[in-house]
Amino acid sequence: MTDAPLTISDRIQRQLDDLTRAERQLAHSILENYPASGLGPLSALAKDAQVSVPTVARMVQKLGFNGYPEFQTELREELKAKAKDPIAKHDTWAGGAPSGHILNRFTDAVIDNIRHTLGQIDPQDFDTACAMAANTKRHLFIVGGRVTHTLAEYLFLHMQVIRPRITHIQSTSNTWPHYLLDVKPGDVFIIFDMRRYENNTLKLAEMAHAKGAKLILFTDQWRSPVHQLAQISFSSRIVVPSAWDSAATPLLLLETMVAAVQDLTWGDTKDRMEALEDMFDQTKLFRKFT
Amino acid sequence: MTDAPLTISDRIQRQLDDLTRAERQLAHSILENYPASGLGPLSALAKDAQVSVPTVARMVQKLGFNGYPEFQTELREELKAKAKDPIAKHDTWAGGAPSGHILNRFTDAVIDNIRHTLGQIDPQDFDTACAMAANTKRHLFIVGGRVTHTLAEYLFLHMQVIRPRITHIQSTSNTWPHYLLDVKPGDVFIIFDMRRYENNTLKLAEMAHAKGAKLILFTDQWRSPVHQLAQISFSSRIVVPSAWDSAATPLLLLETMVAAVQDLTWGDTKDRMEALEDMFDQTKLFRKFT
DNA sequence: CATCATCTGTTATTTCATTTTCATAAATAT
DNA sequence: ATATTTATGAAAATGAAATAACAGATGATG
């Protein structure tokens, strides 16, 4: 471990706390696409970060450089060194860690899962599912199991802002028969069921299905038995180098769905959102005006 | 639309024969450590290649640029594109959908977030945090906010299996002062706080800190104020083409941590796991019907 | 050998980018 | 609330770097 090159990126991050608001904003902008943006003219960098020109000049001084040109020179040196490095760390995600480190192995697996999963998704199915989730004429039920109820709740928290007529059911609870009384034909269930598949969830799906509800299922690559009842199923690859499965890919799908539903209903829910935003608004960490 | 982006390096090599002696000398100097040298001042490049300043200016014109600044700008663009490259070139993620489809746009953003986030994580910090989370001599508290409590609970559900002496606190609840009574110096808090940062979470962090507990923070790129109290912070990029933020990257980190802690404590907790799994199965039996 | 064409470097000019100065605004403490 | 410190941006002043104009050098051709 002789290498102590301490890149500028490192230095910026280390000093992040000593920086002022505008400077931090600038710092993030630099790191955003590093190092390219720092190699351009100072004024361009300033405009990009929406701070004034002197702010940039002051920050590079704070970082210990004698001026912007010196800062750039060092950036170029860094770039040169990186290009020459025979074992460029291009194939690792976490810079300083060996490729065998769990951070890199795990991330590799997740990216791979995402690629596989997305490759097998039918976009039309997805669009249909989003339309169903956006339809406020129908009641929307969200169902999760022992572990997956966290995903279900995450979805619920967001959909709650987007649309009314929505219920979160935890399949392990014994209160759910109550909810089912009100289910009408055409209502929509979004169900999460990953291995190991839960009897309760299946049972609930069956009853919902019997009542004429439409089911959308988020499951894993082996597919929960619920998928036979579901109108649309999304199967995620979830295997990672761990004793447990990864929820990252289903979460990605779920968040994408939230974004899509949001787009579909924007007109209706804009006010709804703003009202809620205000309610939660308590911090002013972000600049108000330029 | 298979862009053959035709790098500047390519263009130089292609035109190598049309160049004069001094220009060739210069060209080789540029390619020597590309692209770093081309991003410096023209005069430095000239001195480096031992040619005169106008020679450089003439050559960039010969290459089809309107001036040296334009040449540099294109170099930077190239660099920026290259930084994103690793797999972002995977033209579309969801096969049947156009690249502008939300599935592809969203996934692009998430992959980008992951790369950025992992690139900025210090593996040693990560290992340290995992060791802290694995230490059963200390009580482990897991804290989440309004939205992030889903992440907190997801972590809790897994850690619960791995180790004893663990508590999940929801910061929006008002029951938490209760838990804090028992906090001892050296206890560990894993705290989730993403924008918009919650006062309750900060308060709780302060009290825990005052009691001598060690804090591990999962936050976003702008970092919750809690980070000043935290021994270790992990900042995730969370911006996606949506009205909301993405929890995919923090989830990835969290799952990786679970895997790592699992590895650290495997000897101790193997039995524990099996016992718990059994218990869940039995519980299911009891709840089969309601 | 002379002449022309082309290449190259020196010098001068202009343009552009960085730095400095100063006034205002925000945050903090009193 | 008021005062004091600190942060920030607008604009002027400074400096450097890129371009243009010119002249010397090199090599080719008749």
Side-chain angles (χ1 to χ4, degrees):
Chain A
M1 296 297 279
T2 58
D3 44 358
L6 198 58
T7 71
I8 291 184
S9 167
D10 292 336
R11 287 166 67 172
I12 292 178
Q13 289 210 280
R14 181 168 305 185
Q15 292 212 13
L16 215 53
D17 291 324
D18 305 338
L19 300 178
T20 66
R21 177 190 55 73
E23 287 169 345
R24 249 197 306 278
Q25 195 170 325
L26 168 62
H28 280 118
S29 176
I30 293 176
L31 296 176
E32 186 68 20
N33 31 17
Y34 180 88
S37 54
L39 291 165
L42 185 152
S43 52
L45 189 55
K47 194 194 284 180
D48 230 46
Q50 298 188 313
V51 298
S52 69
V53 164
T55 299
V56 181
R58 276 189 289 258
M59 192 183 93
V60 296
Q61 295 222 339
K62 230 182 206 174
L63 288 171
F65 299 99
N66 252 347
Y68 190 71
E70 188 179 308
F71 167 77
Q72 288 192 312
T73 303
E74 200 150 321
L75 264 185
R76 279 195 302 274
E77 291 301 324
E78 202 178 300
L79 189 62
K80 235 188 265 184
K82 194 173 179 182
K84 290 231 158 121
D85 191 351
I87 340 158
K89 19 190 167 178
H90 284 323
D91 51 348
T92 62
W93 299 92
S99 64
H101 191 279
I102 182 69
L103 272 171
N104 288 317
R105 296 203 334 269
F106 203 103
T107 305
D108 268 345
V110 168
I111 300 285
D112 209 48
N113 286 343
I114 291 175
R115 182 164 37 233
H116 267 85
T117 303
L118 268 289
Q120 293 187 344
I121 280 196
D122 180 346
Q124 294 201 318
D125 275 359
F126 185 82
D127 293 339
T128 307
C130 290
M132 286 167 66
N135 182 355
T136 52
K137 294 215 179 73
R138 300 301 176 185
H139 202 103
L140 178 64
F141 294 87
I142 297 177
V143 183
R146 186 177 75 83
V147 174
T148 49
H149 82 264
T150 52
L151 286 174
E153 187 170 4
Y154 188 82
L155 175 60
F156 174 75
L157 280 170
H158 288 86
M159 293 296 273
Q160 199 179 23
V161 182
I162 299 179
R163 56 161 287 170
R165 308 193 66 202
I166 175 170
T167 308
H168 177 205
I169 307 178
Q170 196 165 331
S171 75
T172 50
S173 147
N174 47 13
T175 63
W176 53 259
H178 264 80
Y179 296 122
L180 288 178
L181 285 177
D182 296 332
V183 174
K184 299 201 185 63
D187 282 353
V188 177
F189 276 68
I190 296 180
I191 300 176
F192 293 85
D193 198 24
M194 312 267 172
R195 73 173 181 189
R196 326 149 52 128
Y197 315 116
E198 294 173 36
N199 280 330
N200 278 328
T201 304
L202 177 57
K203 198 80 194 166
L204 193 149
E206 279 167 353
M207 293 177 66
H209 185 256
K211 287 213 156 201
K214 303 292 183 197
L215 310 186
I216 298 170
L217 173 69
F218 284 87
T219 184
D220 54 47
Q221 58 190 114
W222 302 281
R223 299 202 293 185
S224 147
V226 174
H227 93 269
Q228 293 176 334
L229 307 169
Q231 187 176 348
I232 297 175
S233 292
F234 300 109
S235 317
S236 302
R237 293 231 317 193
I238 56 173
V239 181
V240 282
S242 167
W244 284 274
D245 296 322
S246 166
T249 307
L251 178 65
L252 166 62
L253 293 180
L254 180 166
E255 289 184 331
T256 309
M257 178 172 282
V258 169
V261 171
Q262 169 73 64
D263 278 352
L264 287 173
T265 63
W266 180 245
D268 294 339
T269 57
K270 194 175 166 189
D271 301 335
R272 195 181 166 81
M273 263 195 73
E274 283 165 358
L276 267 165
E277 281 291 309
D278 282 348
M279 282 174 56
F280 291 119
D281 191 5
Q282 45 205 0
T283 57
K284 33 183 177 178
L285 274 158
F286 301 94
R287 44 190 290 125
K288 300 150 205 163
F289 303 100
T290 44
Chain B
M1 45 158 247
T2 55
D3 348 304
L6 197 57
T7 73
I8 291 184
S9 167
D10 292 336
R11 286 166 68 174
I12 292 178
Q13 290 192 309
R14 180 172 304 185
Q15 293 208 24
L16 214 55
D17 292 328
D18 305 341
L19 301 177
T20 66
R21 176 193 55 75
E23 285 171 345
R24 245 195 308 279
Q25 194 172 325
L26 167 62
H28 283 119
S29 175
I30 293 177
L31 295 176
E32 184 65 22
N33 32 17
Y34 180 88
S37 52
L39 291 165
L42 187 151
S43 51
L45 190 55
K47 194 194 281 179
D48 228 46
Q50 298 187 316
V51 299
S52 69
V53 166
T55 300
V56 181
R58 277 189 286 260
M59 192 181 95
V60 296
Q61 295 220 340
K62 230 183 205 173
L63 287 170
F65 297 100
N66 250 350
Y68 190 70
E70 188 179 308
F71 167 78
Q72 287 193 313
T73 302
E74 200 149 321
L75 264 186
R76 280 195 302 275
E77 290 302 322
E78 203 177 298
L79 189 63
K80 229 186 271 185
K82 193 176 177 183
K84 297 219 183 226
D85 188 28
I87 35 173
K89 284 290 179 191
H90 195 270
D91 26 348
T92 60
W93 300 90
S99 63
H101 192 279
I102 183 70
L103 272 172
N104 288 318
R105 293 202 339 265
F106 203 100
T107 305
D108 266 347
V110 168
I111 300 285
D112 207 48
N113 286 342
I114 290 176
R115 177 171 47 246
H116 249 92
T117 303
L118 269 287
Q120 296 190 345
I121 280 196
D122 181 346
Q124 293 200 323
D125 275 359
F126 186 81
D127 294 340
T128 306
C130 290
M132 286 167 66
N135 182 358
T136 52
K137 295 217 180 74
R138 300 300 177 184
H139 201 103
L140 178 63
F141 295 87
I142 297 177
V143 183
R146 188 178 75 84
V147 173
T148 49
H149 82 264
T150 52
L151 286 174
E153 187 169 4
Y154 187 83
L155 175 60
F156 174 75
L157 281 169
H158 289 85
M159 292 297 271
Q160 198 179 21
V161 182
I162 299 178
R163 58 162 287 172
R165 310 192 65 203
I166 175 171
T167 308
H168 177 205
I169 308 178
Q170 195 165 332
S171 76
T172 49
S173 146
N174 44 14
T175 64
W176 53 258
H178 233 81
Y179 296 121
L180 288 178
L181 285 177
D182 297 332
V183 174
K184 298 200 187 64
D187 283 353
V188 177
F189 275 69
I190 297 181
I191 300 176
F192 294 85
D193 197 24
M194 313 267 171
R195 71 171 182 190
R196 324 166 60 102
Y197 315 117
E198 294 173 36
N199 280 327
N200 277 328
T201 304
L202 179 57
K203 280 252 172 58
L204 195 150
E206 279 166 354
M207 292 177 66
H209 185 257
K211 287 212 152 201
K214 304 292 182 195
L215 274 44
I216 297 171
L217 173 69
F218 285 87
T219 184
D220 55 47
Q221 58 190 123
W222 300 280
R223 303 202 291 185
S224 145
V226 173
H227 91 271
Q228 294 176 334
L229 307 169
Q231 187 176 349
I232 297 175
S233 292
F234 300 109
S235 321
S236 303
R237 291 230 317 190
I238 57 172
V239 181
V240 282
S242 167
W244 285 275
D245 296 322
S246 166
T249 307
L251 178 65
L252 166 62
L253 293 180
L254 180 165
E255 290 185 330
T256 308
M257 178 173 281
V258 169
V261 171
Q262 170 72 63
D263 279 351
L264 287 173
T265 63
W266 181 244
D268 295 337
T269 58
K270 193 174 166 189
D271 302 335
R272 185 184 169 81
M273 264 192 74
E274 286 162 0
L276 265 167
E277 284 290 314
D278 283 350
M279 280 175 57
F280 279 124
D281 285 346
Q282 288 180 16
T283 312
K284 262 195 237 166
L285 282 178
F286 288 128
R287 289 185 188 162
K288 218 161 195 172
F289 301 95
T290 324

